[in-house]
Amino acid sequence: MTQLDSLLVEIDEAINSQAKIIKQKEDFIRKIKAQLGYTNLPQETRYILYKQLTDEYITYQADSSLKYARLRTEAAATTGNEEWITDSRIHMALVQAKSGFFQAAIDTLKKMDISELNENQRMDYYIAYSDTYVYWMEFSEGMDISDLVVRRSQVQDSLINILQPGSYEYAVHKGTKNIEAGNYEEAKNLLLSAYPKLTHDTRQYAVLTSLLAYLFEQQGNVQERKVYLALSALADIESGIMENTSLRTLALLLYKDGDLQRANSYIKKCLDDANFFNARLRNLQTSRILPIIDKAYQEYKVAQEKKLSNLLHIISMLLVLLVLVVVFVIRQMFKLSKAQKSILLINNQLSELNVNLKQANIQQIETNKSLADANYIKEQFISNFLEICTEYIDKLEKLKSSIRMKIKAGQVHDVLRMTDSPSDTAEELKELYENFDRAFLNIYPNFIEEFNKLLKNDKRYKEPEDGSLNQELRIFALIRLGITDNNQMATFLHYTLRTIYNYRSKVKSKATHPDDNFEEQVKQLCS
């Protein structure tokens, strides 16, 4: 398994468990909001709480971020703290840009006097300015953005001039500048110098790895680009960030690679996150890609279903052929039995003729001529007898040889055993179920793993080493294929209706949520 494959598995697991991360984030936000409900709360405290909320919401929910950025600005103005007022306005511009109000963000920043800003504020000011132009250029994709590129470059230069070499911000912005200028090695060294200082579940890590992916894109290294996009997307998911642009780009690359199922899953998550984040830029970007991937995925599903249908048709034809072979063998057996009876009848007739010949020899022994005639007749009879016997024996040998050849070829022997004893039928059923298990697990290789996620930890099934399903899993494999009727299951599996009902009830009792929705969840496994 390659590094990318491992990362994709981690992303799948992170997506499945992201609800826990979101709950923790929501609980933290609720605690902050609860403090705002206290009466006689000082404006200074209220400002700090609003600042915390804007920081939590800025990559989580755009409209809430904008709301609390305004309240933060109002609270700062009430306190009269100039530093807080300036910080609030800079942050307001960044929030406006993320929400798609690009000109409003520029206007907010233009109203500020740069000479009055301290060192940190000047850095935040230029970062907000640069990011605003970046968002604006992304939104204007396909249009003439040359003016935006020039203005952003000027702001970027001003920002780099005031950043401290060796800092994270310097590595990110100077690295970006070098990538755009084609100085790839210098950009790579800068970005990698900041890489070891970051933890993998932070926004900074997500940004840095996305820039490394951008670097490898410019160099034409598709594999490394996908690796760093996966690292960036994983960091976004683990830190509860809904502005997950890396996952969207990764979905598009996976679509081009033919991994339609994963690409479709990722792009739909991006759309859900974009709708939750509620920023028109991210909604627009995701909406451009979603129809392309979704259409290809639907076509892929139709093709897979067609393959399954063809496989079932082939199995049905094989069963019909098997029945025909059984009928043929029975008929051949009947013919063989009839031939054996005919030979026995002829043998009896020949025995009678021998007796008659002996009597004739006794009667004609008196004369040579009579004896010679009798001998001649006897010789002719024996010759005819041998010819008839030989003919029937040849027919019998040819029939035996034909049957033996079919048995050796595996076309008859198993069928004969099936017709002679119930164990033969059991063997055929065993082979049918093995073929069914093998075909089913080849379509849904992760079925058992995903099915176990619906069950309690101590009730889960072990992965079979021989690639087969047990009785309970086979019933729910049929449910996954859309076969829910107990009569159909009983016919296919050769169980009673009571057995089918007991198995379904038994497994449902093992589920973490044993309600009527359990089997519907089974139908959705591996989507």
Side-chain angles (χ1 to χ4, degrees):
M1 181 180 287
T2 65
Q3 182 183 6
L4 178 61
D5 293 333
S6 299
L7 287 170
L8 293 177
V9 171
E10 288 187 52
I11 290 175
D12 295 339
E13 293 173 352
I15 290 174
N16 291 332
S17 60
Q18 193 183 24
K20 181 179 180 181
I21 298 170
I22 297 303
K23 183 179 183 302
Q24 292 174 348
K25 191 176 187 73
E26 291 283 358
D27 289 343
F28 182 68
I29 290 173
R30 275 194 292 271
K31 287 179 182 179
I32 299 174
K33 289 181 178 179
Q35 296 179 57
L36 289 169
Y38 295 146
T39 57
N40 301 322
L41 193 68
Q43 284 299 321
E44 290 78 6
T45 304
R46 192 174 295 276
Y47 169 83
I48 293 171
L49 294 175
Y50 285 144
K51 180 180 182 301
Q52 289 179 317
L53 287 171
T54 55
D55 291 340
E56 289 296 322
Y57 274 122
I58 193 164
T59 57
Y60 184 60
Q61 204 167 39
D63 48 358
S64 295
S65 179
L66 187 61
K67 170 187 172 181
Y68 287 104
R70 288 171 179 157
L71 291 172
R72 173 186 175 183
T73 303
E74 293 171 3
T78 304
T79 64
N81 187 319
E82 291 298 329
E83 183 177 352
W84 285 2
I85 293 172
T86 301
D87 289 342
S88 300
R89 289 175 179 172
I90 295 172
H91 188 81
M92 171 62 79
L94 183 59
V95 172
Q96 288 172 325
K98 282 181 175 288
S99 301
F101 304 110
F102 311 117
Q103 191 57 57
I106 297 297
D107 292 341
T108 299
L109 293 169
K110 281 183 176 180
K111 293 177 183 178
M112 304 179 69
D113 187 349
I114 302 176
S115 62
E116 295 180 358
L117 304 181
N118 61 38
E119 183 178 342
N120 288 333
Q121 288 173 337
R122 192 175 290 112
M123 179 183 70
D124 292 341
Y125 172 85
Y126 283 121
I127 289 175
Y129 230 130
S130 177
D131 286 353
T132 298
Y133 283 126
V134 170
Y135 293 135
W136 202 341
M137 287 187 290
E138 288 181 17
F139 185 80
S140 305
E141 183 180 352
M143 305 177 188
D144 182 10
I145 59 172
S146 55
D147 181 57
L148 295 175
V149 171
V150 172
R151 284 193 276 172
R152 185 254 179 167
S153 180
Q154 293 170 348
V155 174
Q156 189 181 42
D157 290 338
S158 299
L159 171 61
I160 293 171
N161 288 334
I162 66 170
L163 290 176
Q164 185 69 33
S167 66
Y168 165 81
E169 289 78 12
Y170 183 82
V172 167
H173 293 283
K174 181 64 174 177
T176 303
K177 184 74 174 179
N178 283 326
I179 295 172
E180 293 169 351
N183 302 324
Y184 300 135
E185 283 305 313
E186 187 176 347
K188 184 176 180 180
N189 292 334
L190 267 173
L191 294 172
L192 290 179
S193 68
Y195 189 83
K197 304 173 186 177
L198 305 175
T199 55
H200 65 86
D201 58 348
T202 62
R203 178 61 173 170
Q204 288 181 327
Y205 183 88
V207 170
L208 187 70
T209 48
S210 69
L211 285 175
L212 283 165
Y214 175 46
L215 167 65
F216 288 116
E217 177 190 5
Q218 298 304 306
Q219 290 183 312
N221 190 335
V222 179
Q223 190 64 22
E224 285 299 309
R225 181 191 180 195
K226 286 188 283 190
V227 168
Y228 280 98
L229 279 173
L231 287 169
S232 178
L234 186 60
D236 283 337
I237 296 168
E238 290 178 341
S239 53
I241 293 172
M242 294 301 177
E243 192 184 11
N244 45 14
T245 57
S246 295
L247 186 63
R248 184 181 67 246
T249 306
L250 181 61
L252 184 58
L253 292 178
L254 292 175
Y255 157 73
K256 292 178 180 178
D257 287 345
D259 190 350
L260 299 179
Q261 186 170 356
R262 192 171 259 132
N264 187 65
S265 172
Y266 289 176
I267 198 64
K268 286 186 176 178
K269 172 175 170 47
C270 289
L271 182 62
D272 291 340
D273 290 351
N275 289 333
F276 184 84
F277 186 62
N278 199 24
R280 57 177 180 166
L281 170 60
R282 301 310 177 200
N283 279 325
L284 177 64
Q285 290 174 321
T286 306
S287 298
R288 288 171 179 166
I289 301 174
L290 178 63
I292 300 172
I293 297 178
D294 189 59
K295 179 182 178 183
Y297 178 68
Q298 295 305 323
E299 291 174 352
Y300 165 79
K301 280 185 64 179
V302 170
Q304 292 300 106
E305 290 170 358
K306 186 176 181 180
K307 286 182 181 179
L308 179 60
S309 176
N310 291 338
L311 181 62
L312 291 175
H313 287 153
I314 292 171
I315 292 173
S316 299
M317 288 188 289
L318 289 175
L319 288 173
V320 171
L321 180 61
L322 187 61
V323 171
L324 293 176
V325 170
V326 171
V327 172
F328 173 76
V329 171
I330 292 174
R331 291 185 63 182
Q332 293 299 103
M333 292 287 292
F334 177 76
K335 289 180 180 180
L336 177 61
S337 176
K338 187 176 181 181
Q340 289 173 336
K341 290 180 180 178
S342 297
I343 292 172
L344 181 61
L345 178 62
I346 291 173
N347 285 335
N348 291 334
Q349 291 174 348
L350 289 175
S351 296
E352 293 176 2
L353 287 174
N354 283 330
V355 172
N356 293 333
L357 283 173
K358 288 179 180 179
Q359 292 175 352
N361 286 332
I362 294 172
Q363 293 173 359
Q364 297 177 5
I365 199 169
E366 296 178 355
T367 62
N368 292 335
K369 184 177 180 181
S370 297
L371 182 59
D373 290 341
N375 287 336
Y376 176 80
I377 293 170
K378 182 178 179 181
E379 290 172 0
Q380 290 295 317
F381 187 82
I382 292 172
S383 176
N384 291 335
F385 165 71
L386 291 175
E387 183 178 347
I388 293 171
C389 286
T390 301
E391 181 180 350
Y392 276 96
I393 290 170
D394 285 343
K395 289 181 180 180
L396 178 61
E397 286 299 321
K398 287 180 181 179
L399 182 60
K400 287 181 178 180
S401 175
S402 174
I403 293 173
R404 190 181 298 110
M405 288 177 66
K406 292 182 180 296
I407 292 173
K408 288 181 178 180
Q411 299 174 339
V412 177
H413 184 66
D414 292 340
V415 177
L416 289 174
R417 287 192 291 109
M418 289 172 61
T419 59
D420 291 339
S421 67
S423 63
D424 299 326
T425 303
E427 286 297 322
E428 292 296 329
L429 286 175
K430 179 182 178 183
E431 183 177 352
L432 172 62
Y433 296 148
E434 287 175 352
N435 290 332
F436 172 79
D437 295 347
R438 191 180 303 113
F440 181 81
L441 292 176
N442 186 50
I443 298 171
Y444 301 108
N446 298 327
F447 176 77
I448 299 176
E449 177 185 349
E450 294 194 15
F451 186 76
N452 278 333
K453 293 178 182 178
L454 302 178
L455 307 180
K456 299 172 184 175
N457 290 336
D458 59 337
K459 301 295 183 181
R460 295 180 175 179
Y461 296 94
K462 294 182 179 179
E463 292 281 350
E465 295 181 358
D466 58 355
S468 63
L469 302 172
N470 61 25
Q471 297 95 324
E472 297 169 0
L473 287 173
R474 194 173 291 129
I475 288 173
F476 282 86
L478 290 173
I479 292 174
R480 176 61 185 84
L481 293 174
I483 301 173
T484 57
D485 184 71
N486 284 341
N487 287 317
Q488 290 180 325
M489 290 184 183
T491 300
F492 178 69
L493 298 174
H494 285 68
Y495 294 156
T496 64
L497 286 173
R498 171 57 60 184
T499 301
I500 296 294
Y501 177 79
N502 288 342
Y503 275 140
R504 290 174 77 165
S505 300
K506 177 183 176 183
V507 175
K508 190 179 293 185
S509 69
K510 299 178 182 179
T512 52
H513 302 288
D515 51 22
D516 294 337
N517 195 38
F518 175 71
E519 292 188 359
E520 291 300 320
Q521 291 177 334
V522 172
K523 293 179 183 179
Q524 302 301 320
L525 292 180
C526 308
S527 302

